[in-house]
Protein backbone atom coordinates (compact mmCIF):
# COMPACT_ATOMS: atom_id res chain seq x y z
CA UNK A 1 0.00 0.00 0.00
CA UNK A 2 1.40 3.40 -0.98
CA UNK A 3 1.67 5.90 1.89
CA UNK A 4 0.81 9.43 0.80
CA UNK A 5 2.31 12.44 2.57
CA UNK A 6 0.27 15.64 2.76
CA UNK A 7 0.85 19.08 4.26
CA UNK A 8 -2.39 20.18 5.90
CA UNK A 9 -3.48 23.59 7.19
CA UNK A 10 -3.38 22.94 10.95
CA UNK A 11 -4.62 26.34 12.16
CA UNK A 12 -5.63 29.73 10.86
CA UNK A 13 -2.57 31.96 10.52
CA UNK A 14 -2.39 34.85 12.99
CA UNK A 15 -1.59 37.49 10.35
CA UNK A 16 1.94 36.44 9.41
CA UNK A 17 1.93 32.84 8.31
CA UNK A 18 4.49 30.54 9.97
CA UNK A 19 5.60 27.00 9.20
CA UNK A 20 3.82 25.95 12.44
CA UNK A 21 0.48 26.66 10.79
CA UNK A 22 1.05 23.51 8.73
CA UNK A 23 1.42 19.85 9.64
CA UNK A 24 2.73 16.81 7.81
CA UNK A 25 0.24 13.92 7.78
CA UNK A 26 0.16 10.57 6.03
CA UNK A 27 -2.66 8.51 4.60
CA UNK A 28 -3.07 5.31 2.65
CA UNK A 29 -4.21 5.49 -0.93
CA UNK A 30 -7.81 4.50 -1.55
CA UNK A 31 -9.06 2.65 -4.64
CA UNK A 32 -9.68 4.80 -7.73
CA UNK A 33 -13.30 5.27 -8.82
CA UNK A 34 -14.34 5.33 -12.47
CA UNK A 35 -13.21 8.64 -14.02
CA UNK A 36 -10.36 9.11 -11.54
CA UNK A 37 -6.61 8.82 -11.93
CA UNK A 38 -3.64 8.82 -9.57
CA UNK A 39 -0.85 11.38 -10.01
CA UNK A 40 2.62 10.96 -8.54
CA UNK A 41 3.53 14.60 -8.00
CA UNK A 42 6.98 15.74 -9.09
CA UNK A 43 6.78 19.46 -8.27
CA UNK A 44 4.52 21.73 -6.21
CA UNK A 45 4.05 25.34 -7.27
CA UNK A 46 4.22 27.89 -4.44
CA UNK A 47 1.88 30.71 -5.45
CA UNK A 48 1.50 33.70 -3.17
CA UNK A 49 -2.18 34.08 -4.05
CA UNK A 50 -3.11 30.91 -2.15
CA UNK A 51 -2.17 32.70 1.10
CA UNK A 52 -5.40 34.68 0.75
CA UNK A 53 -7.58 31.54 0.95
CA UNK A 54 -5.88 30.33 4.16
CA UNK A 55 -7.69 33.06 6.10
CA UNK A 56 -10.97 32.46 7.95
CA UNK A 57 -13.94 33.58 5.84
CA UNK A 58 -11.77 34.09 2.73
CA UNK A 59 -14.21 32.38 0.34
CA UNK A 60 -14.92 34.45 -2.76
CA UNK A 61 -16.23 33.95 -6.26
CA UNK A 62 -13.00 32.17 -7.27
CA UNK A 63 -12.16 29.71 -4.45
CA UNK A 64 -13.40 28.65 -1.02
CA UNK A 65 -11.41 29.36 2.15
CA UNK A 66 -9.18 26.33 2.73
CA UNK A 67 -10.67 24.00 5.34
CA UNK A 68 -8.59 23.30 8.45
CA UNK A 69 -7.09 19.83 8.68
CA UNK A 70 -7.14 19.38 4.90
CA UNK A 71 -4.19 19.41 2.48
CA UNK A 72 -3.28 22.92 1.31
CA UNK A 73 -4.48 23.71 -2.20
CA UNK A 74 -1.80 24.08 -4.83
CA UNK A 75 -1.00 23.76 -8.49
CA UNK A 76 1.05 20.59 -8.99
CA UNK A 77 2.86 18.87 -11.80
CA UNK A 78 3.26 15.10 -11.96
CA UNK A 79 2.87 11.85 -13.83
CA UNK A 80 -0.24 9.66 -13.98
CA UNK A 81 0.62 6.44 -12.19
CA UNK A 82 -2.67 4.58 -12.67
CA UNK A 83 -5.91 5.59 -14.29
CA UNK A 84 -9.61 4.86 -14.63
CA UNK A 85 -10.02 7.88 -16.92
CA UNK A 86 -9.14 7.27 -20.60
CA UNK A 87 -8.44 10.98 -21.16
CA UNK A 88 -5.59 10.83 -18.60
CA UNK A 89 -3.71 7.58 -19.35
CA UNK A 90 -0.95 6.07 -17.24
CA UNK A 91 2.36 7.80 -18.01
CA UNK A 92 0.80 11.15 -19.02
CA UNK A 93 2.42 14.25 -17.57
CA UNK A 94 -0.24 16.50 -16.04
CA UNK A 95 -0.60 19.85 -14.30
CA UNK A 96 -3.60 20.92 -12.26
CA UNK A 97 -4.88 22.21 -8.96
CA UNK A 98 -4.76 19.58 -6.22
CA UNK A 99 -2.79 19.93 -2.98
CA UNK A 100 0.54 19.87 -1.21
CA UNK A 101 0.91 16.07 -1.28
CA UNK A 102 3.11 13.39 -2.77
CA UNK A 103 0.23 11.76 -4.69
CA UNK A 104 -3.12 13.20 -5.78
CA UNK A 105 -6.32 11.58 -6.96
CA UNK A 106 -7.93 13.73 -9.66
CA UNK A 107 -10.85 13.49 -12.07
CA UNK A 108 -9.80 15.94 -14.79
CA UNK A 109 -11.44 19.01 -13.25
CA UNK A 110 -9.66 21.92 -11.49
CA UNK A 111 -7.44 23.22 -14.29
CA UNK A 112 -6.10 19.71 -15.03
CA UNK A 113 -4.24 19.64 -18.34
CA UNK A 114 -1.93 17.19 -20.07
CA UNK A 115 1.57 18.56 -20.65
CA UNK A 116 3.77 17.35 -23.45
CA UNK A 117 7.21 18.44 -22.25
CA UNK A 118 9.78 19.32 -24.90
CA UNK A 119 13.05 17.40 -24.48
CA UNK A 120 15.19 20.56 -24.36
CA UNK A 121 13.12 22.25 -21.64
CA UNK A 122 13.45 21.15 -18.00
CA UNK A 123 10.24 19.64 -16.64
CA UNK A 124 9.99 22.16 -13.78
CA UNK A 125 9.61 24.99 -16.31
CA UNK A 126 6.10 23.70 -17.01
CA UNK A 127 5.20 24.86 -13.51
CA UNK A 128 7.17 28.12 -13.80
CA UNK A 129 7.71 30.15 -17.00
CA UNK A 130 5.52 27.71 -18.95
CA UNK A 131 3.13 27.24 -16.03
CA UNK A 132 0.88 29.44 -13.88
CA UNK A 133 3.45 32.23 -13.39
CA UNK A 134 4.29 32.40 -17.08
CA UNK A 135 0.63 32.38 -18.11
CA UNK A 136 -0.14 35.12 -15.57
CA UNK A 137 2.74 37.30 -16.72
CA UNK A 138 2.02 36.72 -20.42
CA UNK A 139 -1.73 37.34 -20.49
CA UNK A 140 -1.60 40.11 -17.91
CA UNK A 141 1.07 41.96 -19.82
CA UNK A 142 -0.03 41.40 -23.40
CA UNK A 143 -3.82 41.23 -23.14
CA UNK A 144 -4.38 43.78 -20.42
CA UNK A 145 -1.21 45.89 -20.41
CA UNK A 146 -1.11 46.16 -24.23
CA UNK A 147 2.57 47.20 -24.25
CA UNK A 148 4.05 49.35 -27.03
CA UNK A 149 7.78 49.93 -27.65
CA UNK A 150 7.72 53.51 -26.34
CA UNK A 151 5.97 52.54 -23.09
CA UNK A 152 7.44 52.69 -19.61
CA UNK A 153 6.25 49.83 -17.42
CA UNK A 154 6.43 49.55 -13.65
CA UNK A 155 6.33 46.07 -12.09
CA UNK A 156 5.86 45.39 -8.35
CA UNK A 157 7.22 42.23 -6.66
CA UNK A 158 9.50 42.28 -9.68
CA UNK A 159 11.90 39.68 -8.28
CA UNK A 160 9.18 37.07 -7.70
CA UNK A 161 7.68 34.30 -9.80
CA UNK A 162 5.39 36.48 -11.90
CA UNK A 163 7.35 39.75 -11.72
CA UNK A 164 10.66 38.22 -12.81
CA UNK A 165 9.01 37.25 -16.11
CA UNK A 166 6.94 40.39 -16.75
CA UNK A 167 9.93 42.74 -17.04
CA UNK A 168 11.75 40.47 -19.47
CA UNK A 169 8.65 40.03 -21.62
CA UNK A 170 8.15 43.79 -21.74
CA UNK A 171 11.76 44.12 -22.94
CA UNK A 172 10.95 41.90 -25.94
CA UNK A 173 8.54 44.64 -27.03
CA UNK A 174 11.09 47.39 -26.40
CA UNK A 175 9.53 48.93 -23.29
CA UNK A 176 11.51 50.72 -20.61
CA UNK A 177 11.17 48.62 -17.47
CA UNK A 178 11.17 49.64 -13.81
CA UNK A 179 11.18 46.89 -11.18
CA UNK A 180 10.23 47.30 -7.52
CA UNK A 181 11.70 45.16 -4.75
CA UNK A 182 12.43 45.26 -1.03
CA UNK A 183 16.23 45.48 -0.80
CA UNK A 184 19.24 46.88 -2.63
CA UNK A 185 20.54 43.32 -3.15
CA UNK A 186 17.33 42.21 -4.85
CA UNK A 187 17.27 45.41 -6.91
CA UNK A 188 20.85 44.81 -8.07
CA UNK A 189 19.89 41.27 -9.07
CA UNK A 190 16.92 42.64 -11.05
CA UNK A 191 19.23 44.83 -13.09
CA UNK A 192 22.11 42.39 -13.51
CA UNK A 193 20.19 39.16 -14.09
CA UNK A 194 16.84 40.26 -15.48
CA UNK A 195 17.99 43.42 -17.26
CA UNK A 196 15.48 45.78 -15.70
CA UNK A 197 16.37 49.29 -16.93
CA UNK A 198 15.63 50.85 -13.55
CA UNK A 199 14.88 49.58 -10.06
CA UNK A 200 13.30 51.00 -6.92
CA UNK A 201 13.83 49.68 -3.42
CA UNK A 202 10.48 50.61 -1.90
CA UNK A 203 11.97 50.44 1.62
CA UNK A 204 14.65 53.04 0.82
CA UNK A 205 14.13 56.62 2.06
CA UNK A 206 11.43 58.31 -0.04
CA UNK A 207 10.25 54.88 -1.21
CA UNK A 208 8.34 54.36 -4.42
CA UNK A 209 7.14 57.95 -4.74
CA UNK A 210 10.61 59.50 -4.69
CA UNK A 211 11.98 56.71 -6.90
CA UNK A 212 9.36 57.25 -9.58
CA UNK A 213 9.74 61.04 -9.48
CA UNK A 214 13.44 60.61 -10.24
CA UNK A 215 13.34 57.74 -12.72
CA UNK A 216 10.13 58.47 -14.60
CA UNK A 217 9.31 62.18 -14.18
CA UNK A 218 7.00 61.96 -17.22
CA UNK A 219 5.05 59.08 -15.65
CA UNK A 220 4.43 55.42 -16.44
CA UNK A 221 2.25 53.85 -19.14
CA UNK A 222 1.68 50.45 -17.53
CA UNK A 223 1.65 49.37 -13.91
CA UNK A 224 1.74 45.58 -13.46
CA UNK A 225 0.43 45.40 -9.91
CA UNK A 226 1.24 42.36 -7.80
CA UNK A 227 0.94 44.16 -4.48
CA UNK A 228 -2.12 46.44 -4.19
CA UNK A 229 -2.60 48.75 -1.18
CA UNK A 230 -0.36 51.79 -0.70
CA UNK A 231 1.95 50.84 -3.55
CA UNK A 232 -0.95 50.86 -5.99
CA UNK A 233 -2.16 54.16 -4.59
CA UNK A 234 1.28 55.72 -5.04
CA UNK A 235 1.71 54.32 -8.55
CA UNK A 236 -1.63 55.93 -9.50
CA UNK A 237 -0.14 59.37 -8.90
CA UNK A 238 2.56 58.71 -11.54
CA UNK A 239 0.45 57.75 -14.56
CA UNK A 240 0.77 59.07 -18.07
CA UNK A 241 -2.29 59.69 -20.24
CA UNK A 242 -4.10 56.48 -21.25
CA UNK A 243 -2.13 54.37 -18.78
CA UNK A 244 -3.11 50.74 -18.12
CA UNK A 245 -3.16 49.17 -14.66
CA UNK A 246 -2.87 45.39 -14.73
CA UNK A 247 -4.42 44.23 -11.45
CA UNK A 248 -2.73 40.88 -10.94
CA UNK A 249 -2.36 40.44 -7.18
CA UNK A 250 -2.67 42.17 -3.83
CA UNK A 251 0.00 40.54 -1.67
CA UNK A 252 0.12 43.55 0.67
CA UNK A 253 -3.31 42.62 1.98
CA UNK A 254 -3.03 38.82 2.26
CA UNK A 255 -1.48 39.11 5.73
CA UNK A 256 -2.95 42.35 6.98
CA UNK A 257 -5.80 42.74 9.48
CA UNK A 258 -7.04 45.92 7.85
CA UNK A 259 -7.17 46.46 4.12
CA UNK A 260 -5.54 49.65 2.96
CA UNK A 261 -7.76 52.04 1.07
CA UNK A 262 -7.05 53.28 -2.43
CA UNK A 263 -7.55 57.03 -2.50
CA UNK A 264 -6.18 58.23 -5.82
CA UNK A 265 -8.82 56.93 -8.23
CA UNK A 266 -9.36 60.47 -9.49
CA UNK A 267 -6.01 60.05 -11.28
CA UNK A 268 -7.58 57.34 -13.46
CA UNK A 269 -10.22 59.78 -14.59
CA UNK A 270 -7.99 62.69 -15.54
CA UNK A 271 -5.40 60.35 -17.12
CA UNK A 272 -8.11 58.44 -19.04
CA UNK A 273 -6.52 55.31 -17.57
CA UNK A 274 -7.85 51.74 -17.47
CA UNK A 275 -7.56 49.30 -14.57
CA UNK A 276 -8.45 45.65 -15.13
CA UNK A 277 -8.21 42.56 -12.97
CA UNK A 278 -7.78 39.04 -14.33
CA UNK A 279 -7.09 35.45 -13.29
CA UNK A 280 -4.64 33.34 -15.30
CA UNK A 281 -7.23 30.56 -15.43
CA UNK A 282 -9.41 32.78 -17.66
CA UNK A 283 -7.01 31.96 -20.47
CA UNK A 284 -6.89 28.13 -20.36
CA UNK A 285 -7.95 27.94 -24.01
CA UNK A 286 -4.92 30.03 -25.02
CA UNK A 287 -2.20 28.33 -22.93
CA UNK A 288 -0.89 26.69 -26.13
CA UNK A 289 -0.27 30.06 -27.76
CA UNK A 290 1.54 31.38 -24.67
CA UNK A 291 3.57 28.19 -24.18
CA UNK A 292 4.86 28.33 -27.76
CA UNK A 293 5.86 31.97 -27.44
CA UNK A 294 7.46 31.56 -24.01
CA UNK A 295 9.37 28.40 -24.98
CA UNK A 296 10.68 30.26 -28.04
CA UNK A 297 11.97 33.11 -25.87
CA UNK A 298 13.64 30.63 -23.49
CA UNK A 299 15.40 28.92 -26.42
CA UNK A 300 16.49 32.26 -27.90
CA UNK A 301 17.90 33.34 -24.53
CA UNK A 302 15.43 36.23 -24.29
CA UNK A 303 13.70 34.85 -21.21
CA UNK A 304 15.52 33.50 -18.20
CA UNK A 305 13.41 31.76 -15.64
CA UNK A 306 15.00 32.02 -12.20
CA UNK A 307 13.87 29.21 -9.93
CA UNK A 308 13.94 28.93 -6.18
CA UNK A 309 13.56 25.18 -5.57
CA UNK A 310 13.09 23.57 -2.15
CA UNK A 311 13.61 19.87 -1.70
CA UNK A 312 11.05 17.46 -0.25
CA UNK A 313 7.45 17.77 0.89
CA UNK A 314 8.62 18.49 4.46
CA UNK A 315 10.15 21.79 3.28
CA UNK A 316 6.92 23.11 1.75
CA UNK A 317 5.45 25.16 4.61
CA UNK A 318 8.68 26.99 5.42
CA UNK A 319 9.39 27.57 1.73
CA UNK A 320 5.97 29.13 1.25
CA UNK A 321 6.54 31.48 4.24
CA UNK A 322 9.98 32.42 2.88
CA UNK A 323 8.41 33.34 -0.46
CA UNK A 324 5.75 35.54 1.17
CA UNK A 325 8.45 37.31 3.16
CA UNK A 326 10.51 37.99 0.06
CA UNK A 327 13.32 35.49 0.69
CA UNK A 328 13.06 34.27 -2.89
CA UNK A 329 14.52 35.19 -6.23
CA UNK A 330 12.21 34.05 -9.01
CA UNK A 331 9.62 31.31 -8.98
CA UNK A 332 9.32 29.18 -5.84
CA UNK A 333 8.80 25.44 -6.31
CA UNK A 334 9.12 22.28 -4.24
CA UNK A 335 10.69 19.21 -5.80
CA UNK A 336 9.30 15.93 -4.45
N1 LIG B 1 -4.22 36.98 -11.14
C1 LIG B 1 -3.66 35.78 -11.25
O1 LIG B 1 -4.13 34.89 -11.96
C2 LIG B 1 -2.41 35.49 -10.49
C3 LIG B 1 -1.70 34.29 -10.69
C4 LIG B 1 -0.50 34.11 -9.99
C5 LIG B 1 -0.05 35.06 -9.08
N2 LIG B 1 -0.80 36.20 -8.91
C6 LIG B 1 -0.35 37.24 -7.98
O2 LIG B 1 0.94 37.64 -8.36
C7 LIG B 1 1.64 38.11 -7.22
C8 LIG B 1 3.00 37.41 -7.15
O3 LIG B 1 2.78 36.04 -6.88
P1 LIG B 1 3.96 34.97 -6.95
O4 LIG B 1 3.34 33.67 -6.64
O5 LIG B 1 4.74 35.14 -8.19
O6 LIG B 1 4.84 35.38 -5.67
P2 LIG B 1 6.32 35.97 -5.65
O7 LIG B 1 6.28 37.27 -6.37
O8 LIG B 1 7.28 34.94 -6.07
O9 LIG B 1 6.55 36.21 -4.09
C9 LIG B 1 5.91 37.22 -3.43
C10 LIG B 1 6.76 38.50 -3.38
O10 LIG B 1 5.93 39.58 -2.99
C11 LIG B 1 6.69 40.57 -2.35
N3 LIG B 1 5.96 41.03 -1.16
C12 LIG B 1 5.54 40.30 -0.11
N4 LIG B 1 4.86 41.07 0.76
C13 LIG B 1 4.86 42.31 0.24
C14 LIG B 1 4.33 43.57 0.68
N5 LIG B 1 3.64 43.68 1.82
N6 LIG B 1 4.53 44.66 -0.09
C15 LIG B 1 5.21 44.56 -1.26
N7 LIG B 1 5.74 43.40 -1.73
C16 LIG B 1 5.56 42.30 -0.98
C17 LIG B 1 8.04 39.93 -1.98
O11 LIG B 1 9.02 40.49 -2.84
P3 LIG B 1 9.96 41.73 -2.41
O12 LIG B 1 10.95 41.18 -1.44
O13 LIG B 1 10.52 42.14 -3.69
O14 LIG B 1 9.03 42.73 -1.77
C18 LIG B 1 7.85 38.45 -2.33
O15 LIG B 1 9.01 37.86 -2.84
C19 LIG B 1 0.75 37.81 -6.01
O16 LIG B 1 0.06 38.99 -5.65
C20 LIG B 1 -0.22 36.78 -6.54
O17 LIG B 1 -1.44 36.79 -5.87
C21 LIG B 1 -1.94 36.44 -9.58
Amino acid sequence: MTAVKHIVLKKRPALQLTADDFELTTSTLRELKDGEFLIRNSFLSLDAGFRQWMNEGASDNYLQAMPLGQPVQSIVLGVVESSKNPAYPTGACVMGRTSWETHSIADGSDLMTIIEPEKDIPLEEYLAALGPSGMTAYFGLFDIGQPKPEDTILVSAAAGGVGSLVGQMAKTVGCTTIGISSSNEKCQWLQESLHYDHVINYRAPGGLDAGLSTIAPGGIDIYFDNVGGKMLDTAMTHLRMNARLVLCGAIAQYESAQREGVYNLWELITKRAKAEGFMFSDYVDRYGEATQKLAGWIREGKLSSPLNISEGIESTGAAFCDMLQGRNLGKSLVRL
Side-chain angles (χ1 to χ4, degrees):
M1 276 284 175
T2 308
V4 183
K5 290 182 180 176
H6 319 262
I7 303 287
V8 303
L9 185 62
K10 186 171 66 176
K11 53 186 167 66
R12 294 287 169 209
L15 285 186
Q16 193 174 77
L17 187 74
T18 70
D20 286 344
D21 295 325
F22 304 112
E23 188 171 40
L24 179 71
T25 64
T26 53
S27 70
T28 307
L29 271 180
R30 63 167 174 78
E31 288 286 309
L32 293 179
K33 298 180 198 152
D34 282 343
E36 290 183 336
F37 52 97
L38 173 68
I39 310 165
R40 183 169 39 78
N41 294 323
S42 311
F43 288 93
L44 310 177
S45 172
L46 301 185
D47 296 294
F50 282 100
R51 170 65 187 85
Q52 167 73 14
W53 292 291
M54 292 175 190
N55 292 328
E56 183 72 38
S59 300
D60 54 31
N61 66 322
Y62 192 68
L63 282 178
Q64 298 299 304
M66 293 186 202
L68 289 180
Q70 293 297 313
V72 174
Q73 274 206 339
S74 175
I75 312 275
V76 306
L77 183 143
V79 177
V80 176
E81 213 164 57
S82 55
S83 179
K84 288 191 174 176
N85 184 330
Y88 295 89
T90 301
C93 183
V94 292
M95 179 183 78
R97 188 166 50 207
T98 63
S99 304
W100 288 349
E101 54 199 8
T102 52
H103 298 73
S104 301
I105 291 178
D107 61 8
S109 62
D110 249 0
L111 307 176
M112 195 58 68
T113 42
I114 293 194
I115 308 282
E116 286 167 8
E118 303 275 352
K119 284 201 174 59
D120 61 337
I121 297 202
L123 184 61
E124 53 270 32
E125 282 305 343
Y126 289 87
L127 212 48
L130 305 180
S133 306
M135 300 302 135
T136 304
Y138 181 89
F139 291 111
L141 176 65
F142 291 108
D143 272 52
I144 299 176
Q146 303 272 326
K148 298 184 286 301
E150 63 276 18
D151 284 344
T152 296
I153 175 171
L154 176 70
V155 183
S156 53
V162 174
S164 61
L165 300 171
V166 173
Q168 298 181 81
M169 288 182 200
K171 291 296 291 176
T172 67
V173 180
C175 299
T176 301
T177 54
I178 308 173
I180 307 174
S181 192
S182 59
S183 71
N184 290 341
E185 291 73 23
K186 287 180 86 168
C187 283
Q188 189 179 347
W189 178 77
L190 284 178
Q191 283 194 295
E192 289 173 358
S193 303
L194 302 185
H195 314 293
Y196 268 88
D197 295 303
H198 305 282
V199 286
I200 299 174
N201 173 0
Y202 67 89
R203 291 188 179 148
L208 179 61
D209 191 41
L212 280 175
S213 300
T214 308
I215 292 166
I220 54 170
D221 301 283
I222 304 172
Y223 176 40
F224 196 106
D225 179 25
N226 286 315
V227 168
K230 274 196 190 112
M231 215 176 259
L232 169 60
D233 220 24
T234 302
M236 278 200 261
T237 63
H238 291 268
L239 301 179
R240 271 196 193 132
M241 288 292 283
N242 304 120
R244 283 85 66 204
L245 272 63
V246 182
L247 303 182
C248 176
I251 196 165
Q253 75 179 35
Y254 302 160
E255 300 207 298
S256 93
Q258 266 198 324
R259 298 200 166 168
E260 290 164 335
V262 173
Y263 302 97
N264 293 319
L265 286 167
W266 175 248
E267 297 287 336
L268 300 193
I269 299 169
T270 60
K271 301 285 172 43
R272 283 73 160 177
K274 287 195 180 107
E276 187 175 344
F278 75 105
M279 298 302 293
F280 79 100
S281 50
D282 302 340
Y283 294 91
V284 171
D285 294 348
R286 290 175 54 201
Y287 282 2
E289 163 203 326
T291 305
Q292 245 191 343
K293 198 89 186 166
L294 292 161
W297 284 329
I298 291 175
R299 288 192 184 100
E300 291 163 28
K302 288 184 181 160
L303 187 71
S304 88
S305 170
L307 301 179
N308 183 55
I309 301 182
S310 308
E311 301 291 336
I313 185 110
E314 294 79 3
S315 72
T316 310
F320 191 80
C321 296
D322 282 350
M323 183 257 300
L324 287 178
Q325 286 154 36
R327 289 193 281 271
N328 60 314
L329 292 175
K331 170 72 188 177
S332 298
L333 297 172
V334 177
R335 188 190 340 254
L336 301 181

